[in-house]
Amino acid sequence: MHHAADILLTLFVIFIAAQIGAEIAQRLKLPGVVGEIAAGCVVGPSALGWLTPEQILPGTPLDVLAEVGVVLLLFSVGLETRLDDLKKVGKSAFLVGVLGVILPFGCGALWAHGEGFDWIKSLFVAAAFVATSAGITARVLQELGVLSRVESRVILGAAVIDDILAMLLLGVVSSLQGGGELNLQSLLLTLAGAVGFVAIIGWGGTKVMRRGSGWLEKPISPHSPLTLVLALCLGLAWLSTRFGLAAIIGAFLAGMIASETRQREDLEHKTLPLLSFLTPFFFVITGAKVNLSELASVDALVMLAVVTVIAIVSKLAGGFLGALALGNRSATIVGFGMVPRGEVGVVIASLGLAAGVFNERVYAIIVAMSLLTAMVTPPVLAMLLKRGSTAET
Amino acid sequence: MHHAADILLTLFVIFIAAQIGAEIAQRLKLPGVVGEIAAGCVVGPSALGWLTPEQILPGTPLDVLAEVGVVLLLFSVGLETRLDDLKKVGKSAFLVGVLGVILPFGCGALWAHGEGFDWIKSLFVAAAFVATSAGITARVLQELGVLSRVESRVILGAAVIDDILAMLLLGVVSSLQGGGELNLQSLLLTLAGAVGFVAIIGWGGTKVMRRGSGWLEKPISPHSPLTLVLALCLGLAWLSTRFGLAAIIGAFLAGMIASETRQREDLEHKTLPLLSFLTPFFFVITGAKVNLSELASVDALVMLAVVTVIAIVSKLAGGFLGALALGNRSATIVGFGMVPRGEVGVVIASLGLAAGVFNERVYAIIVAMSLLTAMVTPPVLAMLLKRGSTAET
């Protein structure tokens, strides 16, 4: 009973902190999500300590709530995305995805080697520079109501490709690091599995849903269309992890499939309260993971600044070059949209720490870089998109 | 990353099991909640074992999700309840609450003493017979759309009183069991705290909200009325545990306060998707906690039958006598509405096991009794209420 009481207090604190943070951010003309992440820093272990480091470890109740929150967020983004719209930007999205992986990986490896890591370890460090976290950008695009813009579609398509490539890269780097030989066959199998999963679910699921969404309308339970697509969302989120992809990729595909049904608008409407309740946990906990104390030296801050600049510039350049066909302004928006690393960088950094590839300080710096990119992106993106829309009208 | 994948699969399994269980129950003309609890038995450790005993311990992610689910459920029930309606049935609710505690406590103590427990231990066992779990009845009343009926209001009012008395009783019994002296002063303080909490929050909160709900309308965030009342719900759920009451009492009061605002209908509407997503976790996990293997002997089954009959009859009698002023049929409905013990009985039984008051078998029997009362009530209640409404038209 006391345990239940403690967790309720924690949920209350997180939820209130998120609301206050979002409110302050909005008064400062920043996206609400910046305020939620900052609120996480404030209530987290580094500052007020209302959340302990143990409470936000992987597999804890708060971590699971955060995971469910970001899964639902990407599901709702999928609900606002049609496969046909995504297909139209396929080429740009592919280029953005590929260049957005190659440039940060290359720059990251060069930096790490310059810092004295051997080449194999450098490749591992570089992997943490790669994976874009679609959650933060998606939330900003949703907050601004611009998910139907061409830049948004390029970003979302590229995020899927980005995740596939990042997953492969991590596989390669881990096996090199583990001293194993590079098995080209198993690598191609992994690639085929991931691409096959996305293609079959995204393309096949959409086809099936377009033809037969009538069965969703039969009232088998009071809120059946919603519960059925939520089940689909949880199921595909899990399944995509089985193919080595992030859970949010499966959730996004589930939303995209559900967007083909006639209940699309009703579903979008009903998903909003779920987002209001659950996504704050994701963003607050993301913020709480920054360990400010490891960064309390000039050396560390300089290194953090360098790493963050490399991470931002290399991703921005990759995205910009990939989307150049859309024009300079749109390519800039796409480039910045790919910048946030968020929790994916954190996960890779944790693996690196556990494998002994680098020490606590490099770990703290990579985590802080991941989160800094997540905090820098929303205001820049909001500014670019708002200016863009003013210019259009 | 693998941890996240595992939990997503578990969430998917629970969610799907709940939908299938509810669907089957409804085809059998039973309330959906019976199917959800039964689905929990099936996927739980005793049968299929898709949920392990470790996964449903207090404080685990699933347990927290379940707790959040039942908190939101009682919040939504509160949203459909007005303080003024509750006041009208105050006398009946009070009698039902008091008699519904005294009779099961007395009968439970007599049974336990007859089974060979000394008197102090018997009182502890008897405490597990007492506390009504409002969640299950509330869900049935909500499913049938009869929350505005007088019987529903008596049950909800009585559940609050029941919880206060059960809490006091547990305090007394625990201190007797611990060999401590009965401190009348501290007991009165506890009582005053609990009653004061309910009175001040329920009565004062309602007054404040009636006068000044205008500030809820100012758009400080996109979904602000909802997020503000959800924050209130989490906050009061936690606060009520600080006064020794169940978290659901605070959540219910939060809902009742929110029902005084002009956004009441909008809030009810927006709470539904949250319930669809989160309450199945509560009911499936409630079902998963039944340990069928401890009951696999004739002796145990006989004892379980006796205990369950005592638990049902004593509570039914208490509720019936307390609500007699409403007429026989209504009094029967109220009586059955108070029968489910659900998770409160489970919690007391766990305390008893931990304190060495009784063994694994008595523990399993008390847990099974708590859950049996939870499973027996919904169909009976649905039958009585449906027949009642046909008679009225």
Side-chain angles (χ1 to χ4, degrees):
Chain A
M1 272 219 188
H2 277 289
H3 213 102
D6 290 348
I7 194 82
L8 282 168
L9 177 59
T10 309
L11 297 183
F12 175 67
V13 166
I14 294 176
F15 198 74
I16 285 283
Q19 305 308 321
I20 294 172
E23 171 71 10
I24 293 174
Q26 277 161 359
R27 294 217 174 154
L28 299 172
K29 310 277 175 222
L30 294 171
V33 62
V34 178
E36 294 183 14
I37 299 175
C41 292
V42 172
V43 299
S46 302
L48 294 177
W50 293 350
L51 298 178
T52 64
E54 293 74 33
Q55 281 180 308
I56 52 177
L57 289 177
T60 54
L62 293 181
D63 182 64
V64 170
L65 271 177
E67 176 84 6
V68 171
V70 74
V71 158
L72 288 173
L73 176 65
L74 267 284
F75 171 75
S76 84
V77 169
L79 263 181
E80 299 183 47
T81 310
R82 307 295 283 255
L83 181 62
D84 289 344
D85 296 337
L86 223 51
K87 272 191 201 155
K88 285 181 205 147
V89 298
K91 205 177 143 192
S92 295
F94 184 78
L95 279 174
V96 170
V98 172
L99 290 174
V101 164
I102 293 176
L103 290 186
F105 188 67
C107 295
L110 287 175
W111 170 78
H113 194 61
E115 286 290 317
F117 288 98
D118 66 37
W119 274 115
I120 287 181
K121 284 189 178 176
S122 297
L123 295 181
F124 200 108
V125 174
F129 281 67
V130 167
T132 291
S133 160
I136 287 147
T137 297
R139 163 79 186 266
V140 175
L141 299 174
Q142 201 173 46
E143 258 185 70
L144 296 172
V146 296
L147 275 170
S148 60
R149 277 176 68 144
V150 64
E151 297 93 338
S152 305
R153 285 182 269 129
V154 172
I155 292 170
L156 291 171
V160 174
I161 293 156
D162 183 290
D163 201 62
I164 294 176
L165 295 176
M167 182 265 304
L168 284 177
L169 212 56
L170 189 64
V172 175
V173 166
S174 301
S175 76
L176 284 176
Q177 169 62 26
E181 270 181 59
L182 207 55
N183 186 336
L184 197 68
Q185 201 182 350
S186 83
L187 209 67
L188 283 175
L189 267 177
T190 312
L191 177 65
V195 172
F197 170 77
V198 170
I200 289 173
I201 298 295
W203 187 76
T206 311
K207 285 252 155 153
V208 169
M209 203 51 110
R210 246 179 239 171
R211 281 196 201 152
S213 76
W215 59 270
L216 259 182
E217 268 150 37
K218 287 185 214 152
I220 57 168
S221 84
H223 317 288
S224 57
L226 181 68
T227 49
L228 285 177
V229 297
L230 286 175
L232 185 71
C233 168
L234 289 173
L236 289 183
W238 164 71
L239 201 59
S240 78
T241 64
R242 297 292 301 165
F243 287 90
L245 298 170
I248 56 174
I249 299 291
F252 174 74
L253 293 175
M256 207 171 70
I257 292 172
S259 81
E260 298 290 340
T261 65
R262 269 171 281 170
Q263 290 85 354
R264 175 192 179 163
E265 284 193 18
D266 182 48
L267 290 172
E268 275 184 35
H269 199 70
K270 285 182 175 159
T271 315
L272 287 179
L274 287 171
L275 298 185
S276 308
F277 186 59
L278 289 165
T279 54
F281 294 103
F282 174 71
F283 292 109
V284 170
I285 287 163
T286 299
K289 284 181 178 159
V290 193
N291 186 351
L292 298 172
S293 65
E294 278 286 342
L295 306 170
S297 75
V298 177
D299 278 9
L301 284 176
V302 169
M303 197 192 238
L304 174 60
V306 171
V307 165
T308 305
V309 168
I310 292 173
I312 291 177
V313 170
S314 61
K315 199 77 176 188
L316 178 59
F320 181 83
L321 292 175
L324 211 50
L326 305 176
N328 279 352
R329 167 174 297 282
S330 294
T332 313
I333 292 173
V334 171
F336 267 107
M338 302 298 289
V339 162
R341 306 308 201 283
E343 77 288 0
V344 190
V346 176
V347 169
I348 296 178
S350 316
L351 293 176
L353 185 67
V357 177
F358 41 71
N359 58 20
E360 279 278 352
R361 206 178 92 174
V362 174
Y363 168 75
I365 284 170
I366 290 180
V367 170
M369 172 276 278
S370 298
L371 296 167
L372 269 179
T373 56
M375 298 190 74
V376 165
T377 307
V380 175
L381 209 53
M383 207 188 64
L384 286 169
L385 280 160
K386 274 183 197 155
R387 229 202 290 163
S389 63
T390 329
E392 269 167 37
T393 50
Chain B
M1 271 223 192
H2 277 289
H3 212 102
D6 290 347
I7 193 84
L8 283 168
L9 177 60
T10 308
L11 297 183
F12 175 65
V13 166
I14 293 176
F15 198 73
I16 284 283
Q19 305 308 320
I20 294 172
E23 171 69 11
I24 293 174
Q26 276 162 0
R27 295 217 173 155
L28 299 172
K29 310 278 176 220
L30 294 171
V33 61
V34 177
E36 294 183 13
I37 299 175
C41 291
V42 173
V43 300
S46 302
L48 294 176
W50 293 350
L51 298 178
T52 64
E54 292 74 33
Q55 281 181 309
I56 51 178
L57 288 177
T60 54
L62 293 181
D63 183 63
V64 170
L65 271 176
E67 175 84 6
V68 172
V70 73
V71 159
L72 288 172
L73 176 65
L74 268 283
F75 171 74
S76 83
V77 169
L79 264 182
E80 300 183 46
T81 310
R82 307 295 282 256
L83 180 62
D84 289 343
D85 296 336
L86 225 50
K87 272 191 204 157
K88 285 182 204 145
V89 297
K91 206 178 143 191
S92 296
F94 184 77
L95 279 175
V96 170
V98 172
L99 290 175
V101 164
I102 293 176
L103 289 187
F105 188 66
C107 295
L110 287 175
W111 170 79
H113 194 60
E115 286 290 317
F117 289 98
D118 67 37
W119 274 114
I120 288 181
K121 283 188 180 176
S122 297
L123 294 181
F124 200 108
V125 175
F129 281 67
V130 167
T132 290
S133 160
I136 287 148
T137 298
R139 165 80 185 267
V140 176
L141 299 175
Q142 200 173 47
E143 258 186 70
L144 296 172
V146 296
L147 275 170
S148 61
R149 278 177 68 143
V150 64
E151 296 93 338
S152 306
R153 284 182 270 129
V154 172
I155 292 170
L156 291 170
V160 174
I161 292 156
D162 183 291
D163 202 63
I164 295 177
L165 295 177
M167 182 266 303
L168 284 178
L169 212 54
L170 189 65
V172 175
V173 166
S174 301
S175 77
L176 284 176
Q177 169 62 26
E181 270 179 61
L182 207 57
N183 186 336
L184 198 68
Q185 200 181 352
S186 84
L187 210 67
L188 283 174
L189 267 177
T190 313
L191 176 65
V195 172
F197 170 77
V198 171
I200 289 172
I201 298 297
W203 187 76
T206 312
K207 286 252 153 153
V208 169
M209 203 52 111
R210 247 179 237 169
R211 280 199 201 148
S213 77
W215 58 270
L216 260 180
E217 268 149 36
K218 286 185 214 152
I220 58 168
S221 84
H223 316 288
S224 56
L226 181 67
T227 49
L228 286 177
V229 297
L230 285 175
L232 184 71
C233 169
L234 289 173
L236 289 184
W238 164 72
L239 202 59
S240 77
T241 65
R242 298 290 301 166
F243 286 91
L245 298 171
I248 56 175
I249 299 290
F252 174 75
L253 292 175
M256 208 172 69
I257 292 171
S259 81
E260 298 290 340
T261 65
R262 270 171 281 171
Q263 290 85 355
R264 174 190 179 164
E265 284 192 19
D266 183 50
L267 289 173
E268 274 184 36
H269 198 71
K270 285 182 175 159
T271 315
L272 286 179
L274 288 170
L275 297 186
S276 309
F277 185 60
L278 290 165
T279 55
F281 294 104
F282 174 70
F283 292 109
V284 170
I285 287 163
T286 299
K289 283 180 179 159
V290 193
N291 186 352
L292 298 173
S293 64
E294 278 285 343
L295 306 171
S297 75
V298 178
D299 278 7
L301 285 177
V302 170
M303 197 192 237
L304 174 61
V306 171
V307 166
T308 306
V309 168
I310 292 174
I312 291 177
V313 170
S314 61
K315 199 76 174 187
L316 178 59
F320 181 82
L321 292 175
L324 211 50
L326 305 176
N328 280 353
R329 167 174 296 283
S330 294
T332 313
I333 293 173
V334 170
F336 267 108
M338 301 297 289
V339 162
R341 305 307 201 284
E343 77 289 359
V344 189
V346 176
V347 168
I348 297 178
S350 317
L351 293 176
L353 185 67
V357 177
F358 42 71
N359 58 20
E360 280 277 352
R361 208 178 89 175
V362 173
Y363 168 74
I365 283 170
I366 290 180
V367 170
M369 173 277 280
S370 298
L371 296 166
L372 269 179
T373 55
M375 298 189 73
V376 164
T377 307
V380 176
L381 209 52
M383 207 188 64
L384 286 169
L385 281 161
K386 273 182 196 155
R387 231 202 291 164
S389 64
T390 328
E392 268 169 35
T393 51

